């Protein structure tokens, strides 16, 4: 294999993409890397200029100072060329459209990492499947990073842990080294499918928790939805080959709790707006960023149906987003299943 370049690139300059680029930069500085090259691809010129010239991302992380070694560009080819690590931090529905340009300039040894917590509508594809199809990547050159990773808290350098999953343990370890730092602790895993599904479905469950919040329900209701949501996630993940241990770890329970409990969570916030009576379009406009749960829920439900997996909370969320179910009638549906022992759920 060719030597892997040390240039690191993040495709997407939203709050999580920018924060992850900061993590990479801070890790490089901590490891004593001389003149690290960390590049962000931004869609809008003003965002790229803000990051490069002022070391700020005013739109998404207005109070965070970014490392001096961070730069940004709107030229995707320029960003990807010569990079040993290419991180995808864009909405799930936009990934396929960017992959041909990435493939044209991808180093033969480069690893692609997905931060994306969504499925592609129409194909129900996970990002690992998209990258294998569109980039021709072997398993050992792909990884996914997921966990209780609320961007603003990490940008503030509050301690957090995460999971780096790759079919190849050496690849996961290579990425872990480049993300590890005083406030960011990566653990490695080989269960790519389980980690991806956990990251996708927790956003759907967070929508339900947010709706409960918006409707004025208390913590019992929200804890019940979170717990039943974890069971749904487990059924789907395991049906696709995911491991039960993943569900109990950072990418499963950890990410679910953080996303459902934090006011910083876009998906919980979107759900709260819906519970307060806003339409889907109004809630989306209020957020100003993508809530992947609203975009991916139809694909989650379609995938579950194709595999014969019962996901009543996800089904209810899909009906709400499609306008087929009013949130005021949601309470009875969120927990409406036949009476049975908990362990058989």
């Amino acid at each position: 294999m060719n030597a892997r370049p040390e240039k690191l690139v993040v495709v997407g300059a939203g709050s999580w993409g920018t924060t992850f680029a900061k993590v990479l930069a801070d890790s490089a500085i901590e490891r004593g890397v001389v003149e690290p090259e960390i590049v962000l691809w931004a869609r809008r010129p003003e965002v790229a200029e803000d990051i490069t010239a002022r070391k700020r991302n005013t739109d998404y992380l207005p109070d965070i100072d970014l490392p001096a070694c961070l730069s940004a560009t709107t030229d995707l080819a320029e960003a990807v060329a010569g990079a040993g690590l290419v991180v995808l931090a864009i909405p799930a529905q936009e990934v396929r459209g960017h992959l041909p340009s990435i493939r044209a300039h991808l180093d033969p040894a480069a690893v692609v990492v997905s931060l994306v917590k969504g499925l592609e509508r129409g194909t129900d594809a996970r990002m690992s499947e998209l990258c294998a199809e569109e980039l021709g990547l072997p398993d050992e050159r792909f990884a996914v990073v997921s966990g209780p990773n609320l961007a603003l808290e990490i940008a503030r350098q509050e301690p957090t842990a995460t999971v780096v999953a790759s079919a190849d343990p050496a690849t996961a370890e290579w990425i872990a080294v480049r993300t590890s730092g005083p406030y960011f602790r990566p653990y490695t895993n080989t269960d790519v499918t389980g980690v991806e599904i956990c990251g996708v479905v927790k956003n759907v469950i967070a929508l339900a928790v947010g709706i409960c919040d918006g409707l004025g329900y208390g913590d019992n209701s929200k804890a019940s939805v979170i717990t039943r949501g974890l069971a749904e996630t487990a059924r789907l993940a395991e049906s696709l080959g995911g491991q039960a241990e993943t569900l109990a770890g950072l990418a499963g329970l950890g990410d679910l709790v953080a996303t459902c409990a934090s006011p910083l969570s876009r998906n919980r916030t979107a759900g709260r707006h819906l519970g307060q009576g806003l339409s889907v379009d109004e809630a989306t406009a209020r957020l100003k960023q993508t809530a992947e749960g609203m975009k991916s829920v139809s694909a989650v439900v379609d995938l579950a149906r194709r595999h014969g997996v019962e996901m009543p909370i996800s089904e209810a969320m899909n009906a709400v987003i499609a306008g087929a179910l009013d949130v005021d009638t949601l309470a009875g549906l969120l927990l409406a299943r036949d009476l049975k022992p908990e362990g058989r759920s």
Side-chain angles (χ1 to χ4, degrees):
M1 178 182 286
N2 297 335
R4 189 172 289 149
E6 282 297 330
K7 176 184 175 183
L8 311 176
V9 170
V10 178
V11 178
S15 56
W16 185 211
T18 303
T19 295
F20 198 78
K22 182 181 185 300
V23 167
L24 293 171
D26 288 342
S27 175
I29 293 165
E30 179 75 11
R31 289 181 287 112
V33 176
V34 178
E35 298 183 355
E37 188 177 5
I38 319 290
V39 179
L40 269 161
W41 175 82
R43 181 178 291 101
R44 291 182 287 139
E46 61 272 23
V47 173
E49 172 67 16
D50 198 22
I51 293 168
T52 301
R54 288 173 286 280
K55 306 305 174 187
R56 285 290 183 105
N57 189 333
T58 306
D59 283 0
Y60 297 107
L61 298 171
D63 300 320
I64 302 299
D65 293 322
L66 300 176
C69 61
L70 267 187
S71 63
T73 178
T74 58
D75 187 329
L76 187 56
E78 176 188 320
V80 171
L85 179 68
V86 177
V87 180
L88 301 177
I90 53 180
Q93 310 314 319
E94 298 178 12
V95 170
R96 187 183 293 272
H98 286 80
L99 292 182
S101 295
I102 291 173
R103 179 171 187 164
H105 300 92
L106 193 65
D107 187 274
V111 171
V112 173
V113 170
S114 171
L115 306 184
V116 183
K117 296 181 178 181
L119 298 179
E120 185 182 51
R121 291 195 303 261
T123 67
D124 306 334
R126 305 190 307 275
M127 297 305 107
S128 58
E129 295 171 320
L130 266 185
C131 288
E133 176 187 344
E134 294 292 325
L135 300 178
L137 282 183
D139 289 346
E140 63 269 19
R141 288 179 54 205
F142 178 84
V144 56
V145 171
S146 192
N149 298 152
L150 296 161
L152 184 57
E153 290 186 4
I154 298 172
R156 291 171 177 161
Q157 300 188 183
E158 298 176 18
T160 193
T162 197
V163 174
V164 179
S166 176
D168 181 12
T171 297
E173 181 62 28
W174 186 84
I175 296 163
V177 167
R178 281 149 186 80
T179 54
S180 180
Y183 60 91
F184 197 79
R185 169 60 161 96
Y187 291 83
T188 59
N189 189 326
T190 57
D191 183 15
V192 173
T193 298
V195 170
E196 284 188 301
I197 291 298
C198 286
V200 172
V201 181
K202 60 95 185 187
N203 286 329
V204 176
I205 306 306
L207 284 175
V209 171
I211 289 175
C212 289
D213 206 30
L215 289 170
Y217 298 158
D219 291 335
N220 286 340
S221 300
K222 289 179 275 190
S224 298
V225 171
I226 291 170
T227 307
R228 302 311 313 144
L230 182 61
E232 288 194 12
T233 309
R235 288 195 293 273
L236 182 59
E238 291 175 17
S239 76
L240 296 170
Q243 300 167 10
E245 293 83 355
T246 301
L247 276 295
L250 289 163
L253 181 61
D255 198 9
L256 180 66
V257 169
T259 307
C260 291
S262 176
L264 296 175
S265 164
R266 297 178 213 166
N267 291 278
R268 181 193 169 192
T269 300
R272 189 177 70 250
H273 290 329
L274 295 173
Q276 291 170 338
L278 272 64
S279 69
V280 171
D281 289 342
E282 289 168 338
T284 301
R286 185 79 62 90
L287 278 177
K288 299 180 181 177
Q289 293 194 69
T290 298
E292 287 283 14
M294 291 202 293
K295 299 291 187 181
S296 293
V297 63
S298 61
V300 169
V301 168
D302 185 62
L303 186 64
R305 290 172 180 170
R306 287 198 291 112
H307 287 270
V309 176
E310 289 187 56
M311 300 187 73
I313 297 175
S314 299
E315 291 272 8
M317 289 301 96
N318 188 44
V320 168
I321 299 304
L325 180 66
D326 191 285
V327 294
D328 291 329
T329 66
L330 194 60
L333 295 175
L334 288 177
L335 302 176
R337 301 195 75 207
D338 294 338
L339 297 181
K340 63 180 71 177
E342 183 181 31
R344 297 180 184 175
S345 54

